[in-house]
Amino acid sequence: MLAATFEELVAINRWVQGESSTELRSLLDRWQGRLEVLIDLLLDLVRQARGTSGDVEAALGPSAVRPMRTAVVLLRKGLHEEIASKLRRAPELDREDACRLLLHLLRVADERRRALYGLESCDHWWHRDLGDPAVVAVLRAAAADGSL
């Protein structure tokens, strides 16, 4: 999935589930300088969570990105490739805003889907309890042997 390691995906999804942000901060520090790739990754995850441009409003407050920033204006228009392309080419500060907003957008979309459908009907690994080290160990082993 778009140049992310399993551990990076776990860090993102642990944060989405409300776990520690320490791992996420470390992840974002490692991705500094490759924000355009992180934008693609986060957009892909938001799309998988069935995020919508309407979810941007709910993600704005927690993201602390100002409403008139470029990333907000663009993401309100949609989550399609043309928007992704504009975000990738934006100045670094705008790309940082986009990443922060996309993370919160992912959380909003995931929470909405959990509320609507629950987790019983979902078998995606990222919806498992990533705060449980035993669950993560099983998933890590599955990822290592290619069965995830």
Side-chain angles (χ1 to χ4, degrees):
M1 175 182 283
L2 295 176
T5 68
F6 174 75
E7 298 302 326
E8 290 168 334
L9 292 172
V10 168
I12 291 168
N13 284 289
R14 280 177 48 93
W15 182 85
V16 166
Q17 292 179 7
E19 295 288 327
S20 167
S21 62
T22 306
E23 290 174 319
L24 185 62
R25 174 72 50 211
S26 174
L27 166 80
L28 295 177
D29 289 345
R30 285 193 310 272
W31 282 76
Q32 198 64 32
R34 298 184 304 152
L35 293 175
E36 61 282 349
V37 179
L38 184 56
I39 287 168
D40 282 339
L41 171 66
L42 293 172
L43 270 169
D44 190 47
L45 294 174
V46 168
R47 288 181 195 122
Q48 286 181 32
R50 302 292 189 260
T52 67
S53 57
D55 291 333
V56 169
E57 299 310 314
L60 258 179
S63 75
V65 176
R66 292 190 326 246
M68 298 312 297
R69 298 287 299 163
T70 300
V72 177
V73 172
L74 288 173
L75 289 169
R76 281 179 172 150
K77 294 179 182 181
L79 303 173
H80 48 81
E81 180 52 36
E82 180 183 350
I83 298 302
S85 178
K86 288 179 180 182
L87 289 172
R88 284 191 300 269
R89 293 189 319 258
E92 186 171 356
L93 184 57
D94 292 323
R95 285 180 286 152
E96 289 173 2
D97 284 348
C99 289
R100 190 171 27 182
L101 184 55
L102 285 166
L103 280 166
H104 286 276
L105 187 56
L106 176 58
R107 183 180 269 174
V108 166
D110 190 69
E111 287 172 352
R112 180 175 34 77
R113 293 222 27 188
R114 286 174 190 265
L116 283 174
Y117 305 111
L119 294 181
E120 304 78 39
S121 63
C122 183
D123 60 353
H124 295 117
W125 70 263
W126 55 86
H127 287 144
R128 311 247 318 265
D129 181 2
L130 300 177
D132 181 343
V135 169
V136 174
V138 168
L139 292 171
R140 187 177 290 119
D145 73 16
S147 64
L148 186 58

